[in-house]
Amino acid sequence: MSRALLNQKTSSRRARRRDGRRIGILRAAARIFRDRGFAESGMRDIAEAADLSPANLYHYFSGKDEILYFCQDRSLDLMLNALARSRRGSDGLAGRLRQVLRAHAQAVLDEVEGGAAHLAVDALPDPLRRKIVAKRDRYERGLRRLVIEGGRRGEFVDCDAAVTTRAMLGAINWSATWYRPGGEWSASAVADMIASYLVRGLTAPTDAERIRER
Amino acid sequence: MSRALLNQKTSSRRARRRDGRRIGILRAAARIFRDRGFAESGMRDIAEAADLSPANLYHYFSGKDEILYFCQDRSLDLMLNALARSRRGSDGLAGRLRQVLRAHAQAVLDEVEGGAAHLAVDALPDPLRRKIVAKRDRYERGLRRLVIEGGRRGEFVDCDAAVTTRAMLGAINWSATWYRPGGEWSASAVADMIASYLVRGLTAPTDAERIRER
């Protein structure tokens, strides 16, 4: 094996190890943020929970702002990836929308990116906050386009896409405030239930249902 | 007119005037809470927005905690009243649930009780916070009972009532974070749209829809 290739392998292994370590830290940080709230959590608490010295923690993250940013940025990447996949899909809009909402809920409920960290956008200092808000807006626009497209094709009921999209975002984001890992349902089961419920609300009721609802 | 009756009339007029003044203050406070956040709002700002001297404001409310408590308590009263009315109703569960969700959304979106104030439960000092949380839990239990009852009667799809109820609460509560009065839709139009969407998600899809959704 050439020396260059060997170096490359070593450095990519090192990068993987570093990433793995960062994920471990995020998991510990998410737990602390959830238990104490972001404002009350210190780097010292996070280091302790991640079984690191504070100095070692600073080797991976410059501060808790960077940890929070990393959590939110990862969540949004997962959500935007699901959106990109849904655009390439060929099946009905309901199925595609359900996949996206499930990925979103999963990101919110996940032990690593999820929980309090997902919602604490306002806790970020300004340049980081602006980046997250822009990314979040991109996601919302993409979701709204799916709702509009489903309406155009007659797969979804006629509704205000902006209001309905925000109702969806709310139902999912709010789950960070009540879901606790280790309870009756896994994160993935809850994500499934919420996504199915939210998609059902867009599919047109039959006449019989319309009468029953009066 | 007897002196006693006259006194009673005067004092009830005075109480009405006092209540009217308090509502005016709540409206001003809600605006300030929305613009600056609860933590950043002071009694002096609220007094100025309500066109009162700070001393006069303290005549109506002992502090901003009491204002916040009053906002949340009023919201919850409106929601619990809607729930009580729905229990006396005789029409389908879908219609009754829609009425309750609409009242809830209306309370959240209202200029007086609504907005940031509705969500800032954690900002309350402990004895007040506990009262609000207990009342909120009562509302959630009532809503969950409607979902369970609709499932039992076959009017709603088979679903986990606790998760679905919380998805509803989320969709509605979250609207406080994005709704701004004076925009394209009135609070009551948005409340209607969200309530209808959330109820539709509980009504069973037909076979044709089930196939289309795959």
Side-chain angles (χ1 to χ4, degrees), chain A residues 125-156:
Chain A
D126 212 28
L128 294 180
R129 203 183 57 81
R130 269 204 304 269
K131 276 194 208 178
I132 293 293
V133 168
K135 221 163 170 175
R136 208 176 53 178
D137 287 350
R138 239 173 75 210
Y139 174 73
E140 183 177 337
R141 277 196 303 273
L143 204 57
R144 197 165 55 223
R145 270 198 296 268
L146 284 181
V147 173
I148 292 172
E149 177 66 14
R152 229 181 249 143
R153 295 196 197 177
E155 292 185 44
F156 293 157

Side-chain angles (χ1 to χ4, degrees), chain A residues 4-17:
Chain A
L5 193 60
L6 197 70
N7 279 346
Q8 207 184 326
K9 279 210 154 186
T10 312
S11 90
S12 87
R13 204 176 332 148
R14 207 175 284 146
R16 264 203 313 278
R17 206 159 48 209

Side-chain angles (χ1 to χ4, degrees), chain A residues 4-76:
Chain A
L5 193 60
L6 197 70
N7 279 346
Q8 207 184 326
K9 279 210 154 186
T10 312
S11 90
S12 87
R13 204 176 332 148
R14 207 175 284 146
R16 264 203 313 278
R17 206 159 48 209
R18 185 179 161 86
D19 273 359
R21 207 73 191 91
R22 280 169 76 113
I23 300 289
I25 294 169
L26 289 184
R27 199 180 298 271
R31 212 165 47 233
I32 298 283
F33 292 161
R34 174 154 34 216
D35 292 348
R36 312 198 182 174
F38 179 73
E40 306 300 321
S41 308
M43 282 294 268
R44 184 178 294 270
D45 309 315
I46 296 168
E48 200 174 307
D51 213 8
L52 287 170
S53 71
N56 212 342
L57 174 59
Y58 279 104
H59 174 66
Y60 292 99
F61 287 105
S62 66
K64 66 178 187 163
D65 288 343
E66 201 196 337
I67 298 181
L68 188 62
Y69 174 77
F70 200 77
C71 285
Q72 298 183 346
D73 197 54
R74 264 179 63 101
S75 283
L76 283 164

Side-chain angles (χ1 to χ4, degrees), chain A residues 74-91:
Chain A
R74 264 179 63 101
S75 283
L76 283 164
D77 281 342
L78 295 172
M79 292 151 63
L80 287 168
N81 287 345
L83 203 53
R85 274 197 306 277
S86 85
R87 273 198 287 266
R88 289 193 299 269
S90 59
D91 41 345

Side-chain angles (χ1 to χ4, degrees), chain A residues 91-92 94-95 98 119 154-155 157 159-160 163-164 166-171 173-174 178 184-185 190 193-194 197-206 209 212-214, chain B residues 91-92 94-95 98 119 154-155 157 159-160 163-164 166-171 173-174 178 184-185 190 193-194 197-206 209 212-214:
Chain A
D91 41 345
R98 196 184 303 108
L119 297 182
E155 292 185 44
V157 294
C159 66
D160 185 82
V163 171
T164 309
R166 284 174 166 173
M168 290 177 182
L169 295 178
N173 287 335
W174 191 259
W178 58 263
E184 187 184 359
W185 300 107
V190 171
M193 288 189 262
I194 298 183
Y197 169 62
L198 295 176
V199 171
R200 245 185 347 252
L202 272 175
T203 55
T206 60
E209 278 157 10
R212 204 167 54 194
E213 277 186 36
R214 270 188 208 134
Chain B
D91 42 345
R98 197 185 300 108
L119 297 182
E155 292 184 44
V157 294
C159 66
D160 184 82
V163 171
T164 308
R166 285 175 165 173
M168 290 176 181
L169 295 177
N173 288 335
W174 191 257
W178 58 263
E184 188 185 358
W185 300 108
V190 171
M193 288 190 260
I194 298 183
Y197 168 62
L198 294 176
V199 172
R200 248 187 343 254
L202 272 175
T203 55
T206 59
E209 278 158 11
R212 203 166 57 193
E213 278 187 34
R214 271 189 207 132

